[in-house]
Amino acid sequence: LFEAGNEAPDLKLSPAARQLARALVGLRGPEAVALVSDSTPAAALPPGRYRMGGLDAEIRAEGYATTGESLAGSVVTLLDCVRAAVRLAGIPLATALRMASATPAAVLGLAGKKGSLVAGADADLLVLGPALELEAVYRMGVQVRAAAGRSGR
């Protein structure tokens, strides 16, 4: 429901798609609906021309990349998908976060290692601000990225 071509950082969903997303999550529950991204290595780059996988690609503001007339992939991040679920579809934040973490981990058989913050898990996480802006990234419990203008925690 929230994949490339629908939106990038400024995604759009039709009223019918918003209603469908809420109904699907309401009927099946967040444990049966996963948010995923099929983004390319160009994810989160601003619109412009880049070299990707040996090809000249153009990142479009709509959330996808092209090589000439061909689609080269998505540039929508998983965080963009979470934001769209919350802001556009009206899915509660806790539900959207579960759909982007615990649910995919369970589907892949990685529950207990990925998708949750429990003893023995890998502690891969994002720290988000009040407007769902990225503040920090942790991998294996170690901060690997701080938002611009922020020092490590």
Side-chain angles (χ1 to χ4, degrees):
L1 293 173
F2 311 106
E3 61 180 291
N6 292 341
E7 310 179 13
D10 185 26
L11 303 176
K12 296 164 187 63
L13 287 178
S14 71
R18 293 173 193 215
Q19 186 177 13
L20 177 61
R22 286 189 301 270
L24 180 62
V25 173
L27 289 170
R28 297 296 312 254
E31 64 281 349
V33 181
L35 291 178
V36 297
S37 172
D38 64 346
S39 64
T40 66
L45 290 176
R49 294 188 179 277
Y50 299 91
R51 188 102 173 127
M52 251 178 24
L55 299 172
D56 292 321
E58 182 174 354
I59 306 300
R60 306 290 181 118
E62 296 85 1
Y64 61 93
T66 59
T67 56
E69 298 296 318
S70 301
L71 181 64
S74 168
V75 295
V76 176
T77 67
L78 189 54
L79 180 53
D80 292 330
C81 295
V82 168
R83 289 177 183 135
V86 171
R87 294 176 181 162
L88 301 178
I91 293 171
L93 178 59
T95 301
L97 290 173
R98 180 175 179 183
M99 292 165 42
S101 58
T103 300
V107 168
L108 294 172
L110 298 172
K113 288 298 281 175
K114 302 285 185 188
S116 61
L117 289 176
V118 296
D122 288 345
D124 298 335
L125 63 114
L126 304 180
V127 176
L128 304 178
L132 302 182
E133 73 277 11
L134 182 63
E135 292 194 357
V137 178
Y138 286 78
R139 183 169 186 259
M140 300 295 289
V142 177
Q143 186 173 5
V144 296
R145 179 178 168 203
R150 293 189 177 268
S151 61
R153 294 183 187 224

